């Protein structure tokens, strides 16, 4: 038996931390002991049943995990290896990592970088790994630190917080968009040069606006993304990775054909292993772990359900790490 955050939907939705028999674990070629997990936006949606994220029932929640391999028939993994897992539909269609044990596919796992402990890897989690993918998208499309201001939306969230820390350390002039004026000191401590009210971006705006941003990291979508595109400078790049405001996007082709703006979609769930390894290598190089710690709230597995509700209510700053192993 092992402890897990189980989601059930037989006689109505139920989320509980309970004991589960190991014989119920799904198929996979690597069995792991999870020491730390985390709560991402998608975890919050699943645990609160706010959105139809879960597609098989019952489901163990948790798209991220870090810990140690217990047993493996995969050629790349042996008992005792330290791993990181992000995405791949885990917590949606395959039992996840908010549990003391999980059975996963070896092709989904990344070696834990020596720069990080399992706890630090989960402080980063999918949110921080996605932030790194966004930074790489800006770099790969030619955005350099001297190009001008870079906007980060959803700035106090997990993606936003890590993106600010990464971009600032790389020398970018970061502008953070937030609806939480009380968090200005926090955002500036991460490296934001200035703060703007998210309300200036969140309402419908003109399809073509005054140029400002050399690059954008957007985890919000909807009108915020449309306005960011309309304000991006000639040749600028917008990395879009989220839909906290909504999945709609009402815009025109004008930013693309008159300013050569690039809209770069960033997917972390099904990203190939080479891209994942590159992102984690860069996180190990470019993320200040002392700064990472200022973003972190730690909770035990038993508190993950309540924390997920707080995340959905917009009452969480930065990252929530979940201590799974006692």
């Amino acid at each position: 038996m092992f402890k897990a955050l189980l989601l059930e939907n037989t006689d109505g939705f139920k989320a509980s931390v309970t004991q589960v028999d190991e014989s119920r674990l799904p198929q996979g070629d690597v069995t792991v002991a999870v020491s730390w997990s985390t709560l991402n936006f998608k975890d919050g949606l699943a645990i609160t049943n706010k959105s139809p994220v879960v597609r098989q029932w019952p489901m163990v929640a948790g798209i991220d995990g870090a810990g140690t391999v217990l047993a493996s028939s995969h050629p790349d993994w042996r008992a005792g290896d330290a791993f990181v897992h992000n995405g791949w539909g885990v917590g949606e269609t395959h039992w996840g990592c908010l549990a003391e044990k999980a059975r996963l596919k070896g092709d989904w796992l990344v070696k834990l970088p020596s720069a990080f402990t399992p706890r630090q890897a989960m402080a980063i989690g999918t949110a921080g790994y996605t932030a790194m993918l966004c930074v790489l998208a800006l770099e790969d499309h030619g955005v350099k630190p001297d190009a001008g201001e870079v906007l980060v939306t959803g700035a106090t969230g997990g993606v936003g917080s890590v993106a600010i820390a990464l971009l600032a350390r790389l020398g970018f002039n970061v502008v953070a968009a937030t609806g939480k004026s009380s968090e200005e000191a926090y955002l500036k401590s991460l490296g934001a040069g200035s703060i703007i009210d998210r309300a200036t971006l969140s309402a419908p705006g003109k399809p073509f606006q005054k140029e400002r941003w050399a690059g954008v990291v957007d985890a919000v979508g909807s009108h915020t993304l449309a306005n960011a595109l309309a304000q991006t400078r000639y040749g600028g790049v917008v990395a879009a990775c989220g839909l906290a405001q909504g999945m709609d996007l009402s815009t025109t082709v004008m930013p693309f054909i008159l300013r050569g703006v690039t809209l770069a979609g960033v997917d972390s769930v099904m990203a190939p292993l080479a891209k994942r390894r590159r992102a984690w290598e860069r996180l190990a190089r470019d993320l200040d772990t002392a700064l990472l710690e200022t973003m972190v709230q730690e909770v035990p597995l038993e508190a993950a359900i309540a924390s997920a509700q707080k995340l959905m209510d917009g009452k969480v700053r930065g990252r929530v790490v979940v201590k799974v192993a006692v």
Side-chain angles (χ1 to χ4, degrees):
M1 303 291 287
F2 63 94
K3 188 166 54 176
L5 200 168
L6 188 67
L7 309 178
E8 300 172 280
N9 199 17
T10 303
D11 298 313
F13 176 79
K14 178 185 177 183
S16 63
V17 176
T18 187
Q19 292 288 324
V20 177
D21 195 286
E22 187 173 340
S23 65
R24 298 178 66 187
L25 284 170
Q27 291 185 343
D29 50 14
V30 180
T31 302
V32 301
V34 181
S35 54
W36 295 89
S37 186
T38 183
L39 292 176
N40 298 288
F41 187 74
K42 189 178 287 185
D43 295 309
L45 292 173
I47 293 168
T48 62
N49 201 33
K50 188 173 181 179
S51 181
V53 171
V54 177
R55 296 192 288 279
Q56 291 185 17
W57 302 95
M59 178 58 61
V60 172
I63 67 176
D64 287 347
T68 306
V69 172
L70 294 173
S72 171
S73 60
H74 190 283
D76 293 343
W77 294 93
R78 296 182 299 175
D81 287 345
F83 75 93
V84 179
H85 177 276
N86 307 109
W88 293 114
V90 167
E92 302 172 68
T93 60
H94 186 101
W95 277 22
C97 296
L98 280 165
E100 292 175 321
K101 289 186 180 181
R103 184 166 292 136
L104 306 167
K105 293 184 179 181
D107 290 341
W108 293 346
L109 307 180
V110 173
K111 301 283 186 185
L112 177 71
S114 60
F116 300 131
T117 65
R119 182 182 184 278
Q120 289 170 329
M122 289 297 94
I124 296 166
T126 282
Y129 147 65
T130 302
M132 188 74 250
L133 291 176
C134 289
V135 172
L136 291 171
L138 297 187
E139 291 182 348
D140 290 346
H141 285 88
V143 181
K144 299 184 183 303
D146 60 0
E149 294 177 311
V150 172
L151 172 68
V152 175
T153 68
T156 61
V159 173
S161 293
V162 178
I164 290 168
L166 288 167
L167 288 164
R169 188 165 188 181
L170 292 168
F172 287 90
N173 180 8
V174 182
V175 178
T178 182
K180 303 173 183 177
S181 58
S182 60
E183 300 288 9
E184 180 173 351
Y186 165 72
L187 294 171
K188 288 190 172 179
S189 74
L190 298 180
S194 57
I195 314 295
I196 62 171
D197 191 331
R198 70 181 179 199
T200 63
L201 296 164
S202 59
K206 294 179 180 179
F208 211 46
Q209 301 172 33
K210 184 177 179 180
E211 294 178 79
R212 181 168 182 182
W213 317 116
V216 178
V217 173
D218 176 64
V220 178
S222 190
H223 301 307
T224 297
L225 176 56
N227 285 313
L229 286 164
Q231 296 171 14
T232 298
R233 294 169 57 175
Y234 192 94
V237 181
V238 178
C241 67
L243 42 66
Q245 185 179 8
M247 66 178 69
D248 58 301
L249 179 59
S250 180
T251 187
T252 72
V253 299
M254 291 172 68
F256 310 112
I257 65 173
L258 296 182
R259 289 183 182 159
V261 170
T262 296
L263 176 57
V266 174
D267 165 62
S268 61
V269 178
M270 305 303 289
L273 193 56
K275 184 175 285 188
R276 293 167 182 268
R277 287 172 174 160
R278 181 187 178 203
W280 279 99
E281 287 168 3
R282 284 292 303 273
L283 283 161
R285 191 190 83 182
D286 296 327
L287 184 60
D288 184 342
T289 54
L291 205 55
L292 176 66
E293 189 59 34
T294 69
M295 309 175 197
V296 171
Q297 302 174 47
E298 181 183 318
V299 300
L301 183 60
E302 289 76 9
I305 296 171
S307 294
Q309 186 60 60
K310 290 179 182 178
L311 182 62
M312 291 296 94
D313 292 339
K315 296 178 180 178
V316 170
R317 180 182 81 181
R319 304 284 297 125
V320 177
V321 293
V322 181
K323 187 175 183 179
V324 177
V326 178

